[in-house]
């Protein structure tokens, strides 16, 4: 499951489809959401193709931990205000009933002054 044909987020991670990059390392890629709900709204994805949280197992614990540790670091850099008056929201939609549209695991990280468009 390192790469999936016709997966838009695999193509973004590979640089084949352009994005507004926020962060890149050997395992993770982060970029601004094209349709932001909040003043700050970016996505964190693993470079490896994992369809959703439904496919996650114990072998992914370290990878998911890295994603969760990266989220507050990038939120701060991207301009989310400090906790507790500021903060941010982390969302992971899973499956159609969970509201997932792109089937490559991603964390939404949203923040900034309210009101937001959604969320
Ligand atoms: P989800 O509904 O959780 O699967 O969210 C998918 C998110 O990907 C949505 O918020 C979209 O706006 C975003 N998205 C889709 N295509 C792109 C793209 N090419 N660049 C950046 N964000 C995208
Ligand atoms: Zn993918």
């Amino acid at each position: 499951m390192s790469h999936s044909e016709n997966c838009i987020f695999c193509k973004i991670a590979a640089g084949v489809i352009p994005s507004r990059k926020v962060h890149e390392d050997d395992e993770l890629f982060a970029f601004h959401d094209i349709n932001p709900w909040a003043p700050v709204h970016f996505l964190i994805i693993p470079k490896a193709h994992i369809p959703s949280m439904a496919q996650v197992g114990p072998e992914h614990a370290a990878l998911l931990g890295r994603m969760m540790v990266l989220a507050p670091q990038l939120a701060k850099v991207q301009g989310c205000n400090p906790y507790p008056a500021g903060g941010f929201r982390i969302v992971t939609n899973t499956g159609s009933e969970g509201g997932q549209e792109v089937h490559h695991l991603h964390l939404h990280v949203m923040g900034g002054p309210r009101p937001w468009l959604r969320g």
Side-chain angles (χ1 to χ4, degrees):
M1 270 205 290
S2 68
H3 170 87
S4 180
E5 293 297 322
N6 300 321
C7 170
I8 187 170
F9 285 1
C10 281
K11 290 179 180 171
I12 285 175
V16 175
I17 290 178
S19 68
R20 290 175 56 217
K21 184 162 84 175
V22 167
H23 171 89
E24 180 172 12
D25 61 47
D26 53 341
E27 286 188 306
L28 304 179
F29 195 91
F31 55 102
H32 290 282
D33 196 294
I34 206 165
N35 194 7
W37 293 13
V40 176
H41 186 173
F42 60 87
L43 306 175
I44 301 177
I45 65 172
K47 287 184 170 177
H49 183 82
I50 302 168
S52 80
M53 284 298 291
Q55 286 75 34
V56 161
E59 69 275 22
H60 300 115
L63 180 69
L64 289 173
R66 292 196 60 214
M67 292 172 73
M68 293 301 274
V69 168
L70 186 61
Q73 296 173 356
L74 296 183
K76 187 176 179 187
V77 171
Q78 291 304 314
C80 291
N81 291 314
Y83 176 93
F88 49 85
R89 175 172 288 181
I90 298 175
V91 172
T92 306
N93 299 323
T94 305
S96 295
E97 291 183 350
Q100 186 179 10
E101 291 178 356
V102 177
H103 290 262
H104 179 128
L105 179 66
H106 53 281
L107 301 184
H108 293 258
V109 182
M110 292 165 277
R114 289 181 178 271
W116 295 357
L117 206 56
R118 294 169 72 184

